[in-house]
Amino acid sequence: MALSRRTFSALAGSAALGFALGGSGGPGAPAAYAARTVPTGPAPAPPRADGRRHAIGHDQYSLVVDGRRLVVWSGELHPFRLPSPSLWRDVLEKMRAHGYNTVSVYVAWNYHSPAPGKYDFTGVRDLDLFLRTAAETGLYVILRPGPYINAEVDAGGFPGWLTATEGSARTTDPTYLGHVDAWLTAVNRIVRRHQHTDGGGTVLLYQIENEYDGHVADPSGPAYMSHLYKKVRADGIDVPLFHNDKGRNGYWIPGSFDTGGETGKWLYGFDGYPAPTQTPPDWGDFGIGGLKGGATASPRTPGFVPEFGGGWFDPWGGVEFGGKGYAESRRTRDAAYERRFYLTNLANGITLHNVYMTYGGTNWGWLPAPVVYTSYDYGAAIDEARNVTPKITPMHQLGHLLQRVPDFAKLERAADVHADGLKTYHLTNPDTQAHVYVLRNDGASEVTSTLKTHKRDGGDEIEVTVPAKDARLITTGLSLGKRKLRYATAQPMAVFTAGRQDIALFTGRYGEMAHLVLECPSEPFVQRLDAEAAWVYDQGVLHVTAPLGQGGLTRVLVQRGESDTPLLLLFADEATSLRLFPYDTPSGTLLVYGPALLRHAKLSGGTVQLTGDTVGPSGVEVWGPRGITSVTWNGRPVQTRVGLSESLVATSDLAGAPKPALPVLSGWRRKAENPESAMAFDDSSWVVADKKTSFSTTPVPDGQPVLFADDYGFHYGDVWYRGWVDGDLADLESLSLAYSTGTQGMLMAWLDGEPLGSHRMPVPDTKTVRQGSWAATAEFSVAGLRKKWKKESEEASQNASQKERREQRRHVLSVLVRRMQHDMDGRSLDTHKVARGLTAVTFKGAAPKVSWRIQGETAPDPVRGPLNNGGLYGERQGWHLPGFADGGWEPAELPRADKGMGVTWYRTGFKLAVPAGVDASVGLVLEDDPARAYRVQIFLNGWNLGQYINDVGPQHTFVLPNGILRTRGANTLALAVLSDGTSEFGPGVVRLELLGSAAGGVPVTSVDSPGR
């Protein structure tokens, strides 16, 4: 019986859908890997919250969504590192436009939980809003809510209060699990409304733990994983679950722990961060195989890398990148690096790929872990200021390729082939017989070689050139709509139908001569729509050549011959490819060429309504469904003509973006603080520090009270101590203050209001760059004070009563500790519980009694959250807030050259008038002589946007996110300057700098506005 195309497609889709449902079932359901009949075909439509049921299954090749194969091309973005919800949409739209179909997000427990049992998902912490925005953007979501995330955040994402609780983290300890269950209940209450399975949203996958390798060999590990699995399922999460293995260990593969009888809904994933100097590894089909082989550890689930290096993080002092910061990370892990490593992954059967990071963002406030400073730019493809960098190129090209060329969702290793001087991979699609070749040059020089393709008649010999430390993708046998590609030296980026013609887009390096060979049994009618192209037809084959980039986009139209459907061939160099945006609409696929960014496209009658960004003046050209007659750009009509390839071409350029002028920062006011150092300061409201025991992993010194800040509820930022000392100190020789901090912690001490001095932890070097906790003892001589005390004691004994003499013998030891952050506990050893703050105080030459009081941050800011504020006097008094009355402060001008030890505040205001419709990204730059030792906490409109350490670096520019920054209004800038007294201190030069400007953008709402 003959079947129509529609009938066959319906039957094939139903069979695959049945498999996907079976593979996702409960006990007794067939395993998902068993269905090898899922056909190669179009990917699922872009996801949205459509209210319909969707099936998510898998086999060994890929995920299968509603019977269609899905290659996951994902980028990591952390909403907590971009505390302006309006800008979430901006970055998500940039990701979608540049080829990503998925966004991966951590949910940080510490960001949402200021105290046990309290969870805040409002304002900048609105997870529901983020998931809605992702669905509206058309992106799947990989959700990673911990409980442990690492992520280079304080305590690996554990809330500060957890450091002072009983029980071992990341085990089956009942106290810990009680807190975990409460956290997951709060998170999952939101997540289950956004699952793709029931059409509520686009959550596709859910991670239950991260890089968990501390208890694999003992029973507590599997039991812990089982508890998390069952808890998440009990909360109504029914999408597939996974864990991210810390390297290629084969930990937590399917069957390694109890899932309550459920099968087919657990994926094995692993991460990898190879250095640019390393040879790209084979972590899959071409590798060593077995449990240590990456994707081969779980051969019945698709290859999954939940984290693959899209950059790397930098520590205080910048030793990772030679003091050059993230610019050097981006330079060394550039587009060629990405192409070489990611194509190797593709060759190794990895079809779920997440780039960590795609947008890094900012470690604002006290968010960063000890191993990083404020910026988390990461050298990512989208920089901290939200600018798309040239590094996005391979992500853009591969992302669109994997979405629009279905052959790549089902590849198998094929017969080995060779090309001299190159590492060569050969794969084929068993359904379509298309062949894929990855040619990798691991050498320091460009290589030109010959690839002999696999074909029954002996194959073609293709001359290919691969630059040093780069890779190239060659394909043969691909369907270009109704026609067949024999081979192309340029890489395919997209194949689709728009209107009455098929469109195939190919890309490569600028200046290369692309050579495309098309099988044409009948001679076609060929038109060069751009003069750069050339073609020749010979013996059933059409040869087309085009020099890439020399004329921008090169167009060649192939008509008639064996097909009535025209084929439009487009050739683009890398820069041009970034201005080509395929976009699916309910009426069909559009292709837009020209602007810097396409955000949305909508068809309304015959009008194509486009929204997006321009940076410089640019043209615009649109291919789309039949019947389109006009174009609008950001709501304004665009005059067009009809092109030779049935496109609409703008007759004049779209306007570029102006560069808004920024004001000079002036009108500063100044006020010194640290009244806590004075004897007369009233500390009666402070917490008495008299505990005898602690749950910290740091031992409590014999005979001394617990002085650890976390034990008294102070988890973030600076902490003050005041010790009332009873006893005669006339013979005191020195004081020893033992303390423990994160990286770059420091301490300052005063006795009876007199400065004793300061101590700071060393700058990390190559050996200590990963060290999360630092302990030291600062010893201060009091020789200069002994004579004063002796004289005062003699006078008191002659002129005062016994009671007065006793009161005059009282002394006050004041200590300020910049505690920095908690360790991340990456090895599951409770290292997040290592003490922060003072740990012990000893007196040499005297044995006085000391009673301690402690003060840190006040109650969490209801808008900015618990990670915003520390315990400085000015923070406790609201000196950082916009509404604070600083009229009584003394006027000041910068730069400054002050002397002394302690904290001084500076405040000023400034106004911006960025034109409407312009997205301007602004940074604050601090510069000074690196010999001057001081630190600055930066507060913009009350938001703690980071810490600058003048003599350590490497960061000098701090991004001011729009929404916190009012680009059309008044702003308040406050700087809390901490000097250790060892040198003159500033601030030096403090100025605003324009980091990027685009015409377009997204509407931005102030994060402090009601209804945010």
Side-chain angles (χ1 to χ4, degrees), residues 178-298:
H179 294 307
V180 165
D181 286 354
W183 161 242
L184 291 177
T185 295
V187 171
N188 293 338
R189 185 179 296 119
I190 297 169
V191 176
R192 66 175 174 240
R193 300 198 299 266
H194 295 273
Q195 297 184 93
H196 193 53
T197 43
D198 63 8
T202 59
V203 174
L204 181 74
L205 303 172
Y206 182 113
Q207 179 176 304
I208 66 170
E209 241 281 2
N210 187 61
E211 298 180 330
Y212 182 56
D213 63 352
H215 301 282
V216 176
D218 61 72
S220 66
Y224 173 52
M225 292 291 285
S226 180
H227 176 93
L228 295 176
Y229 190 103
K230 294 174 183 177
K231 165 60 181 171
V232 169
R233 286 291 185 239
D235 284 347
I237 305 302
D238 63 2
V239 299
L241 308 180
F242 71 98
H243 165 266
N244 175 38
D245 193 359
K246 185 163 54 178
R248 276 76 41 217
N249 303 302
Y251 297 155
W252 315 122
I253 60 175
S256 59
F257 63 93
D258 178 20
T259 59
E262 183 176 72
T263 61
K265 295 185 72 173
W266 175 256
L267 300 177
Y268 171 73
F270 61 95
D271 63 20
Y273 292 91
T277 55
Q278 293 178 335
T279 300
D282 291 324
W283 290 335
D285 293 344
F286 288 83
I288 60 173
L291 290 176
K292 299 293 184 180
T296 61
S298 178

Side-chain angles (χ1 to χ4, degrees), residues 453-806:
T453 64
H454 177 79
K455 200 173 182 182
R456 290 178 182 174
D457 60 3
D460 293 297
E461 293 187 354
I462 307 172
E463 184 178 275
V464 291
T465 298
V466 184
K469 305 292 185 181
D470 207 336
R472 180 182 294 277
L473 178 68
I474 300 291
T475 53
T476 66
L478 284 182
S479 293
L480 305 185
K482 303 300 187 297
R483 303 175 192 265
K484 183 74 72 172
L485 174 72
R486 184 158 176 173
Y487 70 82
T489 60
Q491 176 178 306
M493 178 176 136
V495 179
F496 53 90
T497 300
R500 290 172 290 191
Q501 62 186 350
D502 297 324
I503 297 178
L505 170 60
F506 292 83
T507 67
R509 286 192 306 163
Y510 178 86
E512 288 181 339
M513 182 63 71
H515 181 197
L516 181 144
V517 180
L518 197 66
E519 294 182 358
C520 297
S522 302
E523 183 172 1
F525 174 66
V526 183
Q527 290 177 280
R528 295 184 306 164
L529 306 185
D530 295 285
E532 294 80 11
W535 63 272
V536 62
Y537 179 76
D538 181 41
Q539 297 181 4
V541 174
L542 175 67
H543 294 262
V544 179
T545 58
L548 298 180
Q550 293 183 11
L553 185 65
T554 301
R555 309 158 183 83
V556 175
L557 184 61
V558 182
Q559 300 181 84
R560 299 197 285 272
E562 75 280 2
S563 175
D564 292 332
T565 302
L567 170 63
L568 178 64
L569 298 172
L570 302 177
F571 299 92
D573 68 325
E574 293 186 342
T576 303
S577 73
L578 293 180
R579 299 165 56 206
L580 284 156
F581 303 98
Y583 195 99
D584 292 317
T585 76
S587 301
T589 300
L590 294 168
L591 178 65
V592 177
Y593 168 53
L597 181 73
L598 176 69
R599 294 185 181 273
H600 291 290
K602 180 181 178 181
L603 295 181
S604 179
T607 300
V608 181
Q609 300 172 344
L610 305 177
T611 59
D613 296 1
T614 58
V615 175
S618 68
V620 64
E621 184 172 5
V622 182
W623 293 266
R626 299 180 186 182
I628 62 172
T629 57
S630 61
V631 175
T632 64
W633 176 256
N634 291 340
R636 296 182 178 180
V638 176
Q639 295 297 317
T640 61
R641 60 177 175 81
V642 178
L644 294 176
S645 60
E646 298 189 0
S647 62
L648 295 179
V649 184
T651 56
S652 60
D653 283 349
L654 305 175
K659 294 185 177 180
L662 301 178
V664 174
L665 297 177
S666 60
W668 292 94
R669 291 185 174 273
R670 174 182 181 274
K671 185 176 180 62
E673 60 145 87
N674 35 277
E676 301 94 336
S677 65
M679 260 195 101
F681 180 79
D682 181 8
D683 60 17
S684 59
S685 63
W686 287 19
V687 176
V688 175
D690 60 358
K691 293 185 177 182
K692 302 300 182 185
T693 60
S694 172
F695 294 121
S696 171
T697 55
T698 302
V700 179
D702 292 340
Q704 297 209 28
V706 175
L707 296 177
F708 314 155
D710 287 299
D711 286 69
Y712 298 98
F714 304 120
H715 307 301
Y716 305 111
D718 300 294
V719 62
W720 274 97
Y721 296 85
R722 281 172 59 88
W724 287 93
V725 184
D726 288 311
D728 189 358
L729 298 184
D731 296 323
L732 179 64
E733 298 177 22
S734 64
L735 280 170
S736 294
L737 306 179
Y739 72 118
S740 177
T741 72
T743 306
Q744 278 301 285
M746 68 175 298
L747 169 152
M748 296 187 289
W750 294 258
L751 187 56
D752 294 349
E754 298 290 333
L756 292 176
S758 61
H759 185 278
R760 59 190 292 181
M761 300 298 181
V763 179
D765 57 22
T766 55
K767 295 181 180 179
T768 58
V769 69
R770 299 290 172 262
Q771 185 171 321
S773 291
W774 301 69
T777 298
E779 185 168 334
F780 300 109
S781 172
V782 296
L785 294 174
R786 282 207 307 269
K787 291 181 180 179
K788 176 183 177 182
W789 291 334
K790 186 175 182 180
K791 182 178 179 181
E792 290 176 348
S793 180
E794 291 172 350
E795 292 174 352
S797 64
Q798 295 173 2
N799 303 320
S801 66
Q802 183 176 359
K803 178 180 179 181
E804 290 171 336
R805 289 199 304 272
R806 185 169 63 248

Side-chain angles (χ1 to χ4, degrees), residues 97-99 392-400 493 577-578 580-581:
H98 288 296
I392 200 77
T393 303
M395 311 312 300
H396 180 94
Q397 295 172 348
L398 288 172
H400 287 298
M493 178 176 136
S577 73
L578 293 180
L580 284 156
F581 303 98

Side-chain angles (χ1 to χ4, degrees), residues 649-1002:
V649 184
T651 56
S652 60
D653 283 349
L654 305 175
K659 294 185 177 180
L662 301 178
V664 174
L665 297 177
S666 60
W668 292 94
R669 291 185 174 273
R670 174 182 181 274
K671 185 176 180 62
E673 60 145 87
N674 35 277
E676 301 94 336
S677 65
M679 260 195 101
F681 180 79
D682 181 8
D683 60 17
S684 59
S685 63
W686 287 19
V687 176
V688 175
D690 60 358
K691 293 185 177 182
K692 302 300 182 185
T693 60
S694 172
F695 294 121
S696 171
T697 55
T698 302
V700 179
D702 292 340
Q704 297 209 28
V706 175
L707 296 177
F708 314 155
D710 287 299
D711 286 69
Y712 298 98
F714 304 120
H715 307 301
Y716 305 111
D718 300 294
V719 62
W720 274 97
Y721 296 85
R722 281 172 59 88
W724 287 93
V725 184
D726 288 311
D728 189 358
L729 298 184
D731 296 323
L732 179 64
E733 298 177 22
S734 64
L735 280 170
S736 294
L737 306 179
Y739 72 118
S740 177
T741 72
T743 306
Q744 278 301 285
M746 68 175 298
L747 169 152
M748 296 187 289
W750 294 258
L751 187 56
D752 294 349
E754 298 290 333
L756 292 176
S758 61
H759 185 278
R760 59 190 292 181
M761 300 298 181
V763 179
D765 57 22
T766 55
K767 295 181 180 179
T768 58
V769 69
R770 299 290 172 262
Q771 185 171 321
S773 291
W774 301 69
T777 298
E779 185 168 334
F780 300 109
S781 172
V782 296
L785 294 174
R786 282 207 307 269
K787 291 181 180 179
K788 176 183 177 182
W789 291 334
K790 186 175 182 180
K791 182 178 179 181
E792 290 176 348
S793 180
E794 291 172 350
E795 292 174 352
S797 64
Q798 295 173 2
N799 303 320
S801 66
Q802 183 176 359
K803 178 180 179 181
E804 290 171 336
R805 289 199 304 272
R806 185 169 63 248
E807 289 176 348
Q808 290 185 26
R809 284 200 304 270
R810 293 197 84 188
H811 302 272
V812 176
L813 175 61
S814 301
V815 183
L816 173 63
V817 179
R818 177 143 290 183
R819 43 172 293 146
M820 303 303 277
Q821 286 83 18
H822 302 91
D823 185 83
M824 291 189 294
D825 192 31
R827 298 177 61 191
S828 307
L829 298 174
D830 270 357
T831 54
H832 63 293
K833 292 186 176 182
V834 173
R836 291 294 183 261
L838 285 179
T839 55
V841 179
T842 56
F843 297 80
K844 185 178 180 180
K849 293 182 179 180
V850 186
S851 57
W852 289 97
R853 289 181 180 269
I854 183 173
Q855 178 64 57
E857 74 271 21
T858 56
D861 186 305
V863 173
R864 300 167 183 91
L867 296 163
N868 194 70
N869 292 0
L872 294 178
Y873 182 83
E875 291 177 286
R876 305 196 311 266
Q877 299 297 314
W879 292 5
H880 60 299
L881 297 174
F884 179 78
D886 59 10
W889 290 20
E890 65 174 295
E893 292 196 12
L894 303 184
R896 296 284 300 190
D898 293 330
K899 295 182 180 180
M901 184 179 81
V903 183
T904 307
W905 284 72
Y906 296 82
R907 285 172 54 95
T908 191
F910 64 92
K911 292 183 179 179
L912 296 179
V914 176
V918 173
D919 179 9
S921 184
V922 179
L924 183 74
V925 179
L926 293 88
E927 298 171 323
D928 205 345
D929 181 350
R932 286 154 53 104
Y934 66 91
R935 305 173 180 218
V936 180
Q937 284 297 124
I938 301 166
F939 293 90
L940 176 68
N941 297 326
W943 290 82
N944 180 350
L945 292 184
Q947 180 176 188
Y948 167 77
I949 306 184
N950 182 67
D951 58 329
V952 174
Q955 185 175 3
H956 289 268
T957 300
F958 295 78
V959 174
L960 308 178
N962 296 348
I964 291 175
L965 178 71
R966 300 182 180 99
T967 57
R968 295 172 62 82
N971 298 274
T972 300
L973 180 64
L975 306 178
V977 181
L978 187 153
S979 171
D980 64 10
T982 61
S983 70
E984 288 186 339
F985 66 93
V989 173
V990 181
R991 59 183 172 85
L992 299 175
E993 182 174 294
L994 186 65
L995 304 179
S997 181
V1002 297

